[in-house]
């Protein structure tokens, strides 16, 4: 199986991989044409690769395109598991929309930038000044109910398998991300949350993502998923995401 990767750091150790820098894609079309699978293209590449060149890519086009925007991701989640999504409003930024947010949500609530990861671009809004500061910097208002939690569950999917899950416990009272100082625990992982991820990933054809799950109000909510999830915890789990990717590709090719 011939493979081309656009992200060498995500494919270290996978055999028969050639690297093409994304910016050089159109200079390397012959190499791309000869590949059986193209690994980790960027969002701007996938339409040309899938629709123009009819190439097979990994992660799936659904993973990449839904993962690119919290707005599109949330709308997709509304179609497959609406009861497991925190109450959210996605609005164009206008005077009326700002007023609707303030009339609908009580403080505190959460506001997010539609394109960001690792806890960046996620804000706890405690008052009107916080909200207007957020609104002035964003064309789209993505506003979500605040759920009182001290941790979230990261569940990582490769192919059709959950390859690892762990709690991320916050250190600063709001963000739980390991990249922002959160700690990790592998204790008491709830099977109900894992099954929610399995069903959601299958329904959306998401085959490489880290899902962020929280427990509140007696059920589990999906906050979002990140296509390029961190690998730090896998050192403790003794799992190789790259090996799991290759095993999935080989199985799919058979």
């Amino acid at each position: 199986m011939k493979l081309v990767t656009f992200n060498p750091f995500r494919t270290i150790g996978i055999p028969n991989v050639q690297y093409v820098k994304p910016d050089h894609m159109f200079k390397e079309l012959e190499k791309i044409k000869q590949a059986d699978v193209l690994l980790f293209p960027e969002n701007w590449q996938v339409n040309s690769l899938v629709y123009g060149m009819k190439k097979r890519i990994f992660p799936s086009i659904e993973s990449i395109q839904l993962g690119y925007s919290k707005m599109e991701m949330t709308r997709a989640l509304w179609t497959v598991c609406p009861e497991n999504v925190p109450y959210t409003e996605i609005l164009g930024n206008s005077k009326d929309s700002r007023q609707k947010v303030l009339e609908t949500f009580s403080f505190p609530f959460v506001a997010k930038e539609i394109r960001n990861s690792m806890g960046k671009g996620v804000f706890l809004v405690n008052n009107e000044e916080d909200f207007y500061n957020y609104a002035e910097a964003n064309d789209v208002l993505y506003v979500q109910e605040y759920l009182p939690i001290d941790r979230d569950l990261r569940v990582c999917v490769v192919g059709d398998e959950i390859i690892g899950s762990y709690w991320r416990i916050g250190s600063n009272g709001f963000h739980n991300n390991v990249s922002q100082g959160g700690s990790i625990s592998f204790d008491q992982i709830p099977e109900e949350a894992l099954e929610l991820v399995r069903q959601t990933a299958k329904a959306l054809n998401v085959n490489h993502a880290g899902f962020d799950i929280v427990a509140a109000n007696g059920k589990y909510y999906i906050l979002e998923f990140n296509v390029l999830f961190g690998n730090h915890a896998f050192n403790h789990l003794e799992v190789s995401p790259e090996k799991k990717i290759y095993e999935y590709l080989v199985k799919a090719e058979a």
Side-chain angles (χ1 to χ4, degrees):
M1 182 166 49
K2 296 179 180 179
L3 304 172
V4 163
T5 182
F6 298 103
N7 187 334
F9 302 107
R10 292 276 165 179
T11 54
I12 294 172
I14 295 179
N16 302 318
V17 176
Q18 297 184 77
Y19 171 52
V20 171
K21 190 175 181 179
D23 290 347
H24 294 171
M25 182 178 87
F26 294 105
K27 298 178 182 178
E28 299 277 8
L29 289 180
E30 285 306 313
K31 186 183 292 186
I32 291 170
K33 287 177 182 178
Q34 293 173 17
D36 297 303
V37 187
L38 308 174
L39 305 177
F40 293 98
E42 296 182 2
N43 183 71
W44 66 266
Q45 295 178 275
V46 296
N47 286 340
S48 299
L49 297 173
V50 173
Y51 302 128
M53 300 184 71
K54 306 297 188 284
K55 299 301 294 185
R56 180 181 165 205
I57 66 171
F58 179 90
S60 65
I61 191 170
E62 294 92 339
S63 302
I64 294 171
Q65 293 190 333
L66 294 178
Y68 183 69
S69 166
K70 287 184 175 66
M71 177 172 62
E72 299 304 335
M73 180 191 306
T74 300
R75 288 170 173 165
L77 291 172
W78 281 340
T79 68
V80 297
C81 56
E83 68 281 3
N84 299 106
V85 181
Y87 179 72
T88 306
E89 290 283 355
I90 302 172
L91 303 164
N93 193 341
S94 67
K95 181 179 178 180
D96 288 344
S97 294
R98 295 183 187 191
Q99 187 61 35
K100 179 180 179 180
V101 168
L102 293 174
E103 291 174 354
T104 302
F105 291 87
S106 58
F107 297 113
F109 57 81
V110 177
K112 299 181 180 181
E113 297 175 354
I114 60 173
R115 295 192 185 102
N116 228 314
S117 61
M118 297 189 296
K120 299 175 183 176
V122 179
F123 309 99
L124 184 64
V125 176
N126 290 300
N127 50 53
E128 288 192 21
E129 181 181 0
D130 286 349
F131 174 62
Y132 284 120
N133 288 337
Y134 161 80
E136 287 299 315
N138 290 274
D139 295 330
V140 175
L141 305 179
Y142 182 109
V143 182
Q144 199 166 68
E145 68 174 310
Y146 172 71
L147 299 174
I149 58 170
D150 66 352
R151 66 189 62 199
D152 63 21
L153 181 66
R154 167 58 62 88
V155 181
C156 299
V157 172
V158 170
D160 53 8
E161 177 186 1
I162 291 174
I163 67 166
S165 54
Y166 52 92
W167 294 105
R168 303 184 303 180
I169 304 170
S171 63
N172 62 5
F174 181 54
H175 294 96
N176 300 319
N177 306 71
V178 175
S179 62
Q180 298 202 27
S183 60
I184 290 175
S185 171
F186 301 98
D187 298 331
Q188 298 180 318
I189 305 299
E191 177 59 33
E192 185 179 348
L194 301 184
E195 185 59 26
L196 172 62
V197 169
R198 290 188 191 98
Q199 293 178 3
T200 303
K202 182 178 180 180
L204 295 177
N205 195 34
V206 170
N207 62 6
H208 188 279
F211 285 77
D212 295 342
I213 312 296
V214 299
N217 305 324
K219 61 181 178 179
Y220 294 101
Y221 293 92
I222 299 176
L223 298 184
E224 63 184 48
F225 58 82
N226 293 283
V227 178
L228 302 181
F229 51 83
N231 286 347
H232 174 73
F234 293 103
N235 296 327
H236 300 276
L237 293 169
E238 298 184 352
V239 172
S240 167
E242 296 83 6
K243 182 179 179 181
K244 291 292 186 179
I245 290 169
Y246 186 67
E247 290 173 351
Y248 171 73
L249 295 175
V250 169
K251 183 175 69 173
E253 193 77 4

